[in-house]
């Protein structure tokens, strides 16, 4: 059973508001190399925010789907729970099949809604989870930094997720490779696993992050970055509405003024 989401305020609310462009965890380990919001994204949010809101309300296709994949026990559920509820529980049960949470971010004044899909990592549930990869807007593949063997499976999960998500996309799906359980490593262990994971991220064209669900290291930054990259991808698929000519704008304004100033009819029926 899901927990009740507590009312967001203060820092919890603030971490969901993105006013400025956030850079990646490592500037050299990301395929998303821009250092500012794209001109296209700024155009939409500055001049066509109502149009974006209209699209969001009219079509479920604008609901973005971020899938978390990876082996069982790498910490996918704890990662989502830490950000969503602000809590960590060392006694999580393995996800059975699929689960999701709805999250909202305010990016440049626009409410960007995303679904966080938590997929089962156990082998017997993989066939159940795969159909839910379809339509994913962003892939987050998680591995356990204290268990180097999970990097290999993280790559496999990305390959499968990309295969199924790309069937409804014309561009590659934004992808993150995330090392969890950073708090369990000694400095020597960290150096070895971090270098290996960074090489893998570069090879598979994914952005790399290191986090700890337990002590919250990097968690907020990861989710804000995922939301930002996903929002840029969302904007890239939207054409701004056609601009009105000067004559059309003048006519539209004249029509609106006359409509608003016209006397209103009173519909009153007497028996």
């Amino acid at each position: 059973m899901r927990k009740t989401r507590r009312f967001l305020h203060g820092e919890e609310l603030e971490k969901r508001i993105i006013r400025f462009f956030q850079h990646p965890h490592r500037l050299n380990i990301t395929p998303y190399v821009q250092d500012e919001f794209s001109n296209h994204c700024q155009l939409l949010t500055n001049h066509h925010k109502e149009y974006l809101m209209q699209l969001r309300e009219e079509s479920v296709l604008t609901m973005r789907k971020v899938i978390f994949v990876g082996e069982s026990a790498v910490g996918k559920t704890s990662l989502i729970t830490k950000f969503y509820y602000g809590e960590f529980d060392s006694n999580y049960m393995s996800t059975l099949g699929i689960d999701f949470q709805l999250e909202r971010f305010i990016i440049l004044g626009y409410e960007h809604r995303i679904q966080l899909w938590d997929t089962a990592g156990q082998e017997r549930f993989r066939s159940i989870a795969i159909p839910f990869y379809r339509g994913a807007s962003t892939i987050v593949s998680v591995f356990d930094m204290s268990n180097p063997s999970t990097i290999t499976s993280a790559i496999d999960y990305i390959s499968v997720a990309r295969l199924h998500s790309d069937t409804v996309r014309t561009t590659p799906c934004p992808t993150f490779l995330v090392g969890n359980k950073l708090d369990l490593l000694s400095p020597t262990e960290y150096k070895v696993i971090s270098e290996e994971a960074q090489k893998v991220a570069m090879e598979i064209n994914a952005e790399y992050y290191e986090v700890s669900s337990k002590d919250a290291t990097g968690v907020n930054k990861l989710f804000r970055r995922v939301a930002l990259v996903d929002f840029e991808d969302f904007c890239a698929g939207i054409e701004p509405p056609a601009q009105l000519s000067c004559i059309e704008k003048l006519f539209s304004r004249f029509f609106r003024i006359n409509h608003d100033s016209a006397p209103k009819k009173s519909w009153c029926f007497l028996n």
Side-chain angles (χ1 to χ4, degrees):
M1 182 180 295
R2 296 184 184 181
K3 303 176 183 178
T4 301
R5 178 76 172 271
R6 68 181 188 277
F7 180 75
L8 296 178
H9 59 86
E11 292 184 2
E12 288 296 311
L13 179 61
E14 186 64 26
K15 71 184 184 183
R16 290 166 174 81
I17 301 175
I18 301 177
R19 302 182 180 88
F20 306 102
F21 193 84
Q22 179 178 310
H23 295 97
H25 176 60
R26 297 190 184 278
L27 293 174
N28 59 329
I29 316 293
T30 178
Y32 320 114
V33 295
Q34 65 192 75
D35 57 6
E36 186 53 86
F37 286 103
S38 66
N39 292 333
H40 182 70
C41 183
Q42 293 187 62
L43 171 66
L44 288 173
T45 53
N46 289 336
H47 303 289
H48 304 292
K49 196 169 297 180
E50 291 184 0
Y51 177 64
L52 289 178
M53 294 172 63
Q54 179 183 342
L55 289 178
R56 184 185 66 200
E57 299 304 325
E58 290 180 351
S59 175
V60 295
L61 296 179
T62 59
M63 177 65 76
R64 307 291 286 181
K65 183 178 182 181
V66 179
I67 57 173
F68 286 72
V69 299
E71 269 192 31
S72 178
V74 296
K76 301 184 296 296
T77 301
S78 64
L79 186 57
I80 294 174
T81 304
K82 186 65 176 181
F83 183 80
Y84 194 80
Y85 296 106
E87 299 176 359
F88 175 81
D89 185 349
S90 58
N91 298 314
Y92 287 112
M93 294 180 63
S94 295
T95 302
L96 305 178
I98 202 87
D99 192 12
F100 75 91
Q101 306 284 5
L102 175 63
E103 187 59 87
R104 296 174 174 86
F105 290 84
I106 306 300
I107 305 178
L108 296 181
Y110 171 78
E111 184 183 273
H112 185 58
R113 302 175 184 175
I114 59 177
Q115 294 173 334
L116 306 177
W117 287 77
D118 181 9
T119 64
Q122 296 181 40
E123 186 64 33
R124 60 190 173 126
F125 292 120
R126 288 191 70 172
S127 60
I128 298 175
I130 284 177
F132 291 94
Y133 296 171
R134 182 175 173 80
S137 61
T138 297
I139 301 167
V140 181
S141 188
V142 184
F143 71 94
D144 181 351
M145 295 190 76
S146 67
N147 183 1
S149 66
T150 57
I151 294 181
T152 302
S153 61
I155 301 171
D156 294 338
Y157 273 97
I158 287 175
S159 298
V160 174
R162 281 175 169 170
L163 178 64
H164 288 81
S165 64
D166 287 352
T167 58
V168 293
R169 292 179 57 91
T170 57
T171 58
C173 196
T175 306
F176 289 77
L177 178 65
V178 179
N180 193 17
K181 305 187 183 182
L182 179 62
D183 56 289
L184 298 180
L185 304 180
S186 68
T188 302
E189 292 172 328
Y190 167 75
K191 186 176 185 300
V192 173
I193 191 67
S194 180
E195 289 179 355
E196 180 183 351
Q198 289 179 54
K199 291 178 182 178
V200 168
M202 293 182 68
E203 291 172 358
I204 63 176
N205 207 34
E207 181 164 312
Y208 180 63
Y209 257 84
E210 297 168 346
V211 301
S212 168
S213 300
K214 185 175 183 179
D215 63 21
T217 300
V219 173
N220 291 346
K221 289 184 178 180
L222 167 65
F223 279 87
R224 286 169 62 88
R225 178 67 180 173
V226 167
L228 187 151
V229 172
D230 187 86
F231 182 62
E232 280 282 352
D233 183 71
F234 164 68
C235 289
I238 295 177
E239 287 295 329
Q243 294 291 325
L244 298 177
S245 66
C246 293
I247 295 178
E248 289 172 325
K249 289 181 180 178
L250 181 62
F251 177 80
S252 176
R253 183 171 180 273
F254 175 79
F255 178 80
R256 186 169 62 253
I257 291 175
N258 279 274
H259 178 271
D260 293 342
S261 60
K264 306 300 181 183
K265 294 183 179 179
S266 176
W267 300 100
C268 180
F269 298 94
L270 299 178
N271 295 323

